[in-house]
Amino acid sequence: MQQNSLLLALFLLCFSIRSGSGQSDDLRTLLELKNSFVTNPKDETILRTWNADDPNFCNWTGVTCGGSVIIGLNLSSLGLTGSISPSIGRFNNLTHIDLSSNRLVGPIPTTLSNLSASLETLHLFSNRLSGEIPSQLGSLVNLKSLKLGDNELNGSIPETFGNLVSLRMLALASCRLTGTIPSQLGRLVQLQALILQDNELEGLIPPDIGNCTSLVLITAAVNRLNGSLPAELSRLISCFPN
Ligand SMILES: *[C@@H]1O[C@H](CO)[C@@H](O)[C@H](O)[C@H]1NC(C)=O
Ligand SMILES: *[C@@H]1O[C@H](CO)[C@@H](O)[C@H](O)[C@H]1NC(C)=O
Ligand SMILES: *[C@@H]1O[C@H](CO)[C@@H](O)[C@H](O)[C@H]1NC(C)=O
Ligand SMILES: *[C@@H]1O[C@H](CO)[C@@H](O)[C@H](O)[C@H]1NC(C)=O
Ligand SMILES: *[C@@H]1O[C@H](CO)[C@@H](O)[C@H](O)[C@H]1NC(C)=O
Ligand SMILES: *[C@@H]1O[C@H](CO)[C@@H](O)[C@H](O)[C@H]1NC(C)=O
Ligand SMILES: *[C@@H]1O[C@H](CO)[C@@H](O)[C@H](O)[C@H]1NC(C)=O
């Protein structure tokens, strides 16, 4: 009798540990994200497959799994109108995030910095995101492609972006960015494209950009940059092939 209830207790304990583990956490987090992405709950066609009745989230629209963990979220061009829930920082193993070409509003969540061990792609371009670019994104040292342009972002380009040493693509065009181009970007030796046009950036193009020896494309037109092009840029032979 006593042994039976001990067994039952053990069984319940095991069961509760199992159900408290990754899978159901991820399901709950995805449903939280849906609530923040879709502002009008009557809009049932958006993220229709994101439904607790089908807990097999690995085949929900835009969700990619590796084994049973979520490694990709691609919700580009789905008509999302809400904001990005800070819960997105809970997906430890997320490698690619693409929320581009929606109508998302509000800030870029600082909790994205929690994904520093995994995140390689962060595409939030062509939305209506506002506020400043969080300096915390500078901890995403595995990022290869960061595209935040065509939003309503203001403030300056974080100096911490000099830590993103894996970056190939940094695209921040068509926002309302002010301040100078941080010289720290000169540390991005893998950077191939630096896209900064159509902002309110001022001052000189820092000579340190000449250290970005992989650059093949810089766009910086339609800003308030002044002075002359630094001589160091002549080192970017792929840009100026003479
Ligand atoms: C989702 O996965 C289940 C089982 O893996 C499968 O039966 C079902 O058809 C899938 N649904 C869609 C929409 O692909
Ligand atoms: C997301 O999906 C769109 C549409 O299918 C595609 O064009 C885009 O390349 C995908 N994004 C990423 C980061 O793979
Ligand atoms: C950051 O990740 C840890 C696990 O690595 C998780 O426990 C925590 O909730 C996450 N924080 C946020 C704000 O998402
Ligand atoms: C997911 O991320 C956690 C924390 O970074 C790590 O311990 C775990 O091995 C990863 N799982 C997979 C399947 O990559
Ligand atoms: C950026 O815009 C927000 C409103 O969206 C404003 O509160 C904030 O002061 C602005 N910051 C800068 C640096 O202009
Ligand atoms: C760029 O290279 C110069 C010359 O080697 C060096 O003094 C400078 O600190 C470098 N800049 C950055 C941001 O790494
Ligand atoms: C460039 O503009 C800044 C203010 O944005 C000003 O202080 C500086 O003197 C200007 N430099 C040149 C060379 O025009």
Side-chain angles (χ1 to χ4, degrees):
M1 178 70 181
Q2 265 192 357
Q3 214 174 11
N4 273 348
S5 52
L6 183 64
L7 278 178
L8 180 67
L10 274 178
F11 173 79
L12 286 176
L13 185 67
C14 290
F15 185 77
S16 65
I17 288 172
R18 269 188 66 86
S19 63
S21 75
Q23 292 260 3
S24 65
D25 282 353
D26 286 351
L27 179 65
R28 188 161 40 83
T29 305
L30 283 171
L31 292 171
E32 269 172 45
L33 280 182
K34 178 181 179 177
N35 273 338
S36 77
F37 285 147
V38 184
T39 40
N40 183 355
K42 286 187 190 138
D43 212 342
E44 282 164 358
T45 58
I46 303 176
L47 300 185
R48 189 177 40 79
T49 57
W50 289 40
N51 192 319
D53 294 339
D54 171 17
N56 181 16
F57 52 74
C58 290
N59 58 13
W60 288 4
T61 305
V63 177
T64 306
C65 291
S68 60
V69 301
I70 301 176
I71 57 170
L73 267 189
N74 187 347
L75 306 178
S76 176
S77 306
L78 291 183
L80 309 179
T81 53
S83 59
I84 306 172
S85 167
S87 313
I88 199 165
R90 282 199 220 123
F91 295 118
N92 286 317
N93 305 88
L94 209 44
T95 310
H96 305 289
I97 298 178
D98 189 344
L99 305 176
S100 62
S101 304
N102 284 294
R103 280 170 282 154
L104 294 168
V105 299
I108 297 175
T110 56
T111 53
L112 283 167
S113 65
N114 216 14
L115 306 177
S116 57
S118 57
L119 201 62
E120 294 179 8
T121 310
L122 181 58
H123 290 177
L124 304 178
F125 62 90
S126 298
N127 277 291
R128 295 171 190 172
L129 300 170
S130 60
E132 300 184 24
I133 300 175
S135 60
Q136 290 90 334
L137 297 188
S139 68
L140 297 172
V141 291
N142 291 307
L143 269 187
K144 295 193 171 84
S145 180
L146 178 58
K147 296 186 176 188
L148 306 177
D150 190 18
N151 273 298
E152 292 165 21
L153 301 167
N154 64 3
S156 49
I157 300 172
E159 292 179 356
T160 56
F161 279 12
N163 299 330
L164 302 176
V165 291
S166 305
L167 268 190
R168 269 69 161 171
M169 159 65 78
L170 177 58
L172 305 172
S174 303
C175 290
R176 296 171 186 170
L177 300 175
T178 53
T180 55
I181 299 174
S183 59
Q184 287 84 347
L185 297 187
R187 298 179 52 209
L188 308 182
V189 293
Q190 312 221 44
L191 194 65
Q192 295 167 1
L194 177 60
I195 313 295
L196 301 174
Q197 84 271 6
D198 188 20
N199 278 294
E200 293 161 30
L201 298 168
E202 59 182 35
L204 303 171
I205 295 180
D208 304 75
I209 296 296
N211 300 11
C212 303
T213 45
S214 305
L215 268 181
V216 290
L217 178 64
I218 306 181
T219 65
V222 197
N223 275 295
R224 295 176 191 161
L225 300 168
N226 65 6
S228 47
L229 280 173
E232 285 78 358
L233 288 183
S234 66
R235 275 196 265 147
L236 305 179
I237 47 168
S238 21
C239 273
F240 308 106
N242 295 310

